[in-house]
């Protein structure tokens, strides 16, 4: 802490004072002009709450939404990483048709607003896929079972499993376009001479990509890939529009039922900040190693 304070410049203190004054002004305006009554003491009950009948603590609305956000982000990031890697490799293919198809997919998704992409994929792809695979009936059958603990640990309430799948698919398809460009840039950053050397010793295109290009590209794309994962967490709030009950969706429910507008949204913002900032610190440490 002392080292940190020694590194601070006098301008840093000025910025802190200005920010404190700004937030103090906003606070006064909310209480005075809007005649708003703060109810911060009720917020903890909507994070965790004690069940008097069962005599145990349980996750309430905000914590439920946060857990769903983490689940969706993890599953969508894994799927987006797989799809994005395939798209990135396809963008560097010698085959013109494969290269143009991958580029068309990437350019279309990267230049359309995410809200539009979410609705298009939801109504024309994920819903059709869920119906074709009969996922809803399968999830309801599991929800009626007694030994469903392991399923609920990984996927939450199985009655809402179809909406979780929809959110993961929609988010992964959208984010894979950005992951694909990151992978493409990493592959093309590898010196061409190394590829030619790999081919000169008899390596196939696949062996060249697997043993020479991708190991170097992975280390180069790690920082932007980590940043994209953090962006995915923030973008997960978009899927609340298709009724996926993640943190933003639960916050809307809380605000509509209690009218604690500022308390609920500030708490949600704090959750997102802690989650994203914690991951950025973790990824920064991994990059240094």
């Amino acid at each position: 802490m002392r080292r940190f304070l020694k590194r601070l410049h006098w301008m840093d203190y000025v910025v802190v004072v200005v920010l404190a004054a700004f937030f103090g002004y906003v606070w006064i305006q909310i209480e005075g002009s809007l005649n708003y009554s703060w109810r911060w003491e009720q917020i903890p009950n909507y994070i965790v709450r004690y069940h008097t009948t069962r005599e145990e603590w349980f996750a309430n609305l905000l914590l439920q939404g946060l857990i769903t956000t983490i689940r969706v982000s993890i599953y969508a990031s894994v799927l987006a990483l797989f799809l994005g890697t395939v798209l990135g490799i396809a963008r560097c293919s010698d085959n013109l048709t494969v290269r143009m198809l991958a580029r068309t997919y990437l350019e279309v998704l990267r230049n359309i607003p995410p809200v539009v992409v979410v609705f298009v994929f939801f109504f024309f792809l994920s819903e059709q896929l869920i119906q074709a695979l009969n996922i809803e009936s399968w999830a309801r059958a599991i929800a009626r079972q007694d030994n469903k603990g392991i399923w609920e640990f990984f996927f939450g309430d199985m009655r809402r499993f179809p909406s979780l799948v929809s959110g993961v698919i929609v988010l992964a398809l959208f984010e894979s376009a950005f992951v694909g460009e990151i992978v493409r840039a990493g592959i093309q950053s590898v010196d061409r001479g190394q590829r030619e050397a790999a081919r000169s010793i008899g390596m196939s295109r696949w062996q060249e990509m697997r043993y020479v290009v991708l190991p170097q590209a992975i280390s180069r794309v790690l920082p932007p890939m980590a940043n994209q994962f953090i962006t995915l967490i923030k973008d997960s709030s978009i899927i609340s529009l298709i009724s996926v009950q993640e943190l933003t969706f639960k916050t809307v429910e809380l605000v509509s039922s209690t009218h604690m507008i500022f308390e609920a949204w500030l708490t949600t913002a704090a959750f997102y900040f802690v989650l994203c900032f914690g991951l950025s610190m973790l990824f920064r440490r991994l990059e240094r190693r």
Side-chain angles (χ1 to χ4, degrees):
M1 188 65 180
R2 291 180 179 178
R3 292 180 180 178
F4 176 74
L5 292 175
K6 288 181 179 179
R7 287 186 295 176
L8 292 178
H9 191 263
W10 65 270
M11 282 295 297
D12 297 321
Y13 293 102
V14 173
V15 171
V16 171
V17 172
V18 171
L19 288 175
F22 171 75
F23 286 113
Y25 173 77
V26 172
W27 188 287
I28 293 172
Q29 288 297 315
I30 291 173
E31 286 190 333
S33 302
L34 299 180
N35 195 23
Y36 187 79
S37 177
W38 297 92
R39 290 178 287 169
W40 282 107
E41 70 281 356
Q42 297 185 21
I43 288 295
N45 289 328
Y46 292 99
I47 300 175
V48 290
R49 194 168 184 173
Y50 187 74
H51 199 292
T52 54
T53 304
R54 294 180 298 184
E55 297 183 349
E56 62 180 6
W57 293 91
F58 68 97
N60 211 346
L61 285 175
L62 294 178
L63 187 56
Q64 291 173 7
L66 179 63
I67 294 172
T68 303
T69 294
I70 294 173
R71 286 196 184 106
V72 169
S73 300
I74 292 174
Y75 301 147
S77 63
V78 172
L79 183 56
L81 180 61
F82 172 76
L83 295 175
T85 302
V86 173
L87 290 167
I89 295 174
R91 282 279 282 117
C92 302
S93 173
D94 293 332
N95 190 303
L96 179 61
T97 302
V98 173
R99 194 165 65 246
M100 290 305 297
L101 286 173
R103 182 173 182 179
T104 300
Y105 179 88
L106 295 177
E107 293 297 338
V108 168
L109 289 190
R110 290 171 63 237
N111 292 285
I112 292 180
V115 174
V116 177
V117 174
V118 165
F119 281 118
V120 169
F121 277 136
F122 176 69
F123 289 111
F124 292 99
L125 182 61
S126 64
E127 278 292 291
Q128 305 301 323
L129 183 64
I130 288 172
Q131 292 179 8
L133 297 178
N134 201 24
I135 292 177
E136 189 169 358
S137 299
W138 173 78
R140 287 180 179 177
I142 292 178
R144 289 192 292 267
Q145 295 178 2
D146 295 329
N147 54 344
K148 57 184 178 180
I150 187 68
W151 293 99
E152 291 185 344
F153 176 78
F154 286 104
F155 304 111
D157 189 350
M158 291 303 295
R159 292 173 298 179
R160 299 190 178 95
F161 181 74
S163 66
L164 180 72
V165 172
S166 297
V168 168
I169 293 174
V170 168
L171 196 59
L173 290 173
F174 174 69
E175 295 294 334
S176 64
F178 298 91
V179 174
E181 278 298 287
I182 294 173
V183 173
R184 189 268 312 162
I187 292 173
Q188 292 182 343
S189 68
V190 178
D191 187 72
R192 184 176 293 273
Q194 298 190 42
R195 302 181 188 180
E196 294 174 353
R199 294 182 184 181
S200 68
I201 61 175
M203 282 189 176
S204 64
R205 171 75 174 173
W206 167 247
Q207 289 175 326
E208 168 202 336
M209 189 66 67
R210 179 182 177 184
Y211 295 110
V212 178
V213 178
L214 284 181
Q216 299 180 69
I218 289 174
S219 62
R220 298 179 184 183
V221 303
L222 182 59
M225 200 71 76
N227 181 67
Q228 189 60 39
F229 177 63
I230 294 173
T231 302
L232 185 147
I233 294 174
K234 294 182 288 185
D235 289 344
S236 66
S237 61
I238 301 173
I239 61 176
S240 63
L241 298 173
I242 55 175
S243 300
V244 179
Q245 299 195 4
E246 44 74 65
L247 183 55
T248 302
F249 185 91
K250 291 293 188 179
T251 305
V252 173
E253 281 189 348
L254 177 59
V255 170
S256 61
S257 61
T258 65
H259 300 289
M260 292 190 297
I261 302 172
F262 294 104
E263 295 94 335
W265 285 114
L266 288 174
T267 304
T268 298
F271 276 138
Y272 277 116
F273 176 80
V274 170
L275 184 59
C276 295
F277 184 74
L279 286 173
S280 66
M281 293 294 101
L282 175 62
F283 289 139
R284 188 177 301 175
R285 179 168 295 183
L286 291 176
E287 289 171 20
R288 290 174 181 173
R289 291 186 179 181

